[in-house]
Amino acid sequence: MKLAFYVSQGFGLMLIGMGGYHLFKARQIEGMGALGAGFLGAAEFGLGALLIIISVIVYWISKRRKNRT
């Protein structure tokens, strides 16, 4: 369970990093490409954050259930 937690945390951080990169690149592009890159960056950033939040909640719930029994 701990391995899945660390893998999902790493994947979430990677998505946040890619989102930040695309948001950074969107500022350097002109036209509609900037809009697409901005939306892509925001979506990756949000998905990475959501993945981290969900993995922390699942890990916390499983740890709590394990301690109860």
Side-chain angles (χ1 to χ4, degrees):
M1 183 69 186
K2 204 172 257 196
L3 178 64
F5 172 70
Y6 289 131
V7 168
S8 62
Q9 289 284 313
F11 192 68
L13 288 173
M14 183 187 70
L15 280 174
I16 288 175
M18 286 173 45
Y21 173 76
H22 281 115
L23 286 174
F24 173 73
K25 280 299 191 184
R27 297 188 65 186
Q28 298 175 350
I29 304 171
E30 293 182 8
M32 293 300 288
L35 184 66
F39 280 133
L40 178 66
E44 285 174 341
F45 197 85
L47 186 63
L50 186 65
L51 184 65
I52 289 176
I53 290 168
I54 289 173
S55 67
V56 167
I57 290 172
V58 167
Y59 181 73
W60 181 71
I61 289 173
S62 68
K63 189 175 177 183
R64 189 170 175 202
R65 283 186 181 176
K66 188 190 244 184
N67 289 340
R68 279 186 161 183
T69 58

